[in-house]
Amino acid sequence: MCTGDTPAGHQQLLHDFEPRVVFGLEPVDSVTVTTLMDNVTDVFMPPQGPARRLAMDVRGRRPVATMEDGQAPSTLLAEHGFSVLVTVSRNGSRHQILFDAGTSPDGVTQNMDRLEVDPSAIEVIVCSHGHFDHTTGLDGLIRRLGTVNLPVLIHPHFWRRRRVILPGRDPIEIPATSRRALTGAGFEVIEEEQPSFLFDRSVLVTGEVPRTTGYEPGFPPQQAWLAGRWEPDPLVLDDQAFIVDVKDKGLVVITGCGHAGVINICRYARRLTGERPLYAVIGGFHLNGPLFEPLIPQVLDDLAALAPEVIVPAHCTGWRAQHAMGARFGEAFIPNTVGTRFEL
């Protein structure tokens, strides 16, 4: 892929990136990460550090027949899914990127309404991987915007037909996104295995993340339909992350599920950027359930060695890992909720 392959208006969006060569990720003046969807909503969660929470009454009211005055607060929705709006500011320019789109068709767009986010201002969509709890909300975005005319950056394995094999249960097929539906809606689908720059080197998407820790297993129960049969597909190689470098602070790394392993991802982010310090890591760390919880002590040790100032575990991280991080990292640990805005 080269910039000449992108249509007019998007020609400056993407740049090739050689995986073994460190190119300069240009520092940005600031980045704001707004949580459009996560597993938790909490109107009483207080502000903390760079996290700004919404007051209970800012989302307006809606008609409800069972209420005495016929109204109730129009609250934010939470679900087992993930989506953030990333706003990057540099040299007077401002860009908005949607990273993932949640589980339900309309959850993210409804939360956009309540947060007064204009979906038409989004310039590019990055999907962390192909699992439906990060992609289904594209449906609601299409219905909201009509012809979308947006680039969506994915890994080629994004389209794989997949299923999960759990002991004692029948296989559970994972809904896959339709290529025809996205292209038919006007999306410019850009498939990349290697890292890619966005917006004149202001943003870096990792592409495929090398698995180097030796203990982060991906998603072992997963299989993919390949060459006419089900084959093991544990690595989830389409799992990619989002990187910006905030001036005078360091790297902000955003993960979706973190199937590549949050330590693998953060170490790779530093490798790609000439060992820039890790300032913040936000997103799913995939440490929930009996298969992954034994990894928590090692992950926390290695995360501590990276010394991020802001740690925001979300989505599939799991309550045991959340509690362990809260005890280990003190004020650096910030719980996430739908509607939280991180000003970094």
Side-chain angles (χ1 to χ4, degrees):
M1 182 191 65
C2 66
T3 55
D5 294 332
T6 57
H10 297 148
Q11 292 183 2
Q12 299 304 312
L13 184 67
L14 290 162
H15 302 266
D16 283 340
F17 190 100
E18 292 296 332
R20 295 179 180 85
V21 179
V22 175
F23 283 76
L25 175 61
E26 295 292 338
V28 302
D29 299 319
S30 66
V31 59
T32 300
V33 181
T34 303
T35 304
L36 300 177
M37 187 56 71
D38 198 358
N39 296 35
V40 175
T41 181
D42 186 343
V43 297
F44 298 115
M45 185 75 73
Q48 179 185 340
R52 305 289 179 262
R53 317 285 189 182
L54 287 174
M56 187 173 180
D57 60 351
V58 300
R59 293 175 293 279
R61 302 179 75 79
R62 57 184 172 181
V64 178
T66 55
M67 296 296 106
E68 187 66 31
D69 63 355
Q71 291 186 323
S74 184
T75 56
L76 292 164
L77 304 175
E79 62 189 24
H80 182 84
F82 189 69
S83 176
V84 292
L85 179 72
V86 186
T87 304
V88 175
S89 299
R90 175 182 164 215
N91 297 335
S93 296
R94 184 172 175 268
H95 299 288
Q96 291 194 334
I97 306 103
L98 182 68
F99 183 78
D100 285 349
T103 302
S104 63
D106 297 306
V108 164
T109 52
Q110 289 183 34
N111 284 342
M112 283 181 176
D113 291 342
R114 290 157 189 161
L115 295 167
E116 299 181 347
V117 169
D118 179 6
S120 68
I122 295 168
E123 297 169 72
V124 61
I125 297 171
V126 177
C127 289
S128 64
H129 62 301
H131 289 167
F132 74 99
D133 50 330
H134 298 257
T135 66
T136 308
L138 294 174
D139 178 83
L141 198 65
I142 291 168
R143 285 185 281 106
R144 178 64 59 87
L145 295 176
T147 301
V148 180
N149 191 32
L150 280 175
V152 56
L153 185 58
I154 63 171
H155 183 282
H157 289 192
F158 175 89
W159 310 107
R160 282 188 168 183
R161 180 185 171 192
R162 286 162 160 161
R163 70 180 188 179
V164 175
I165 304 293
L166 299 174
R169 297 185 63 178
D170 291 335
I172 303 169
E173 189 154 348
I174 302 171
T177 302
S178 164
R179 184 193 299 266
R180 181 183 302 175
L182 294 195
T183 56
F187 282 109
E188 175 203 350
V189 178
I190 302 170
E191 299 185 21
E192 271 295 319
E193 294 182 7
Q194 303 299 334
S196 298
F197 281 116
L198 307 178
F199 304 118
D200 297 321
R201 299 178 179 264
S202 294
V203 172
L204 182 58
V205 180
T206 63
E208 199 168 298
V209 175
R211 313 305 169 88
T212 59
T213 62
Y215 68 85
E216 292 174 298
F219 193 40
Q222 180 172 272
Q223 296 180 339
W225 184 256
L226 303 171
R229 63 181 182 180
W230 291 106
E231 298 281 359
D233 184 31
L235 293 182
V236 199
L237 290 178
D238 48 321
D239 187 84
Q240 56 184 2
F242 184 105
I243 310 169
V244 291
D245 185 359
V246 181
K247 190 179 297 182
D248 301 323
K249 293 181 178 178
L251 302 179
V252 175
V253 175
I254 305 175
T255 69
C257 267
H259 288 297
V262 66
I263 302 303
N264 281 328
I265 292 166
C266 291
R267 287 177 177 172
Y268 189 49
R270 296 198 64 218
R271 171 187 158 195
L272 291 174
T273 58
E275 301 301 324
R276 287 285 293 150
L278 179 64
Y279 169 53
V281 57
I282 300 171
F285 297 177
H286 216 288
L287 293 169
N288 200 8
L291 186 61
F292 298 96
E293 287 170 357
L295 307 180
I296 293 171
Q298 183 68 62
V299 168
L300 267 59
D301 285 346
D302 287 344
L303 191 58
L306 291 165
E309 296 181 35
V310 176
I311 302 170
V312 186
H315 182 39
C316 54
T317 303
W319 70 268
R320 284 191 170 90
Q322 295 257 5
H323 280 259
M325 290 179 194
R328 176 79 175 262
F329 295 113
E331 287 298 309
F333 166 80
I334 304 177
N336 195 31
T337 62
V338 177
T340 298
R341 187 178 72 252
F342 297 92
E343 298 177 351
L344 303 163

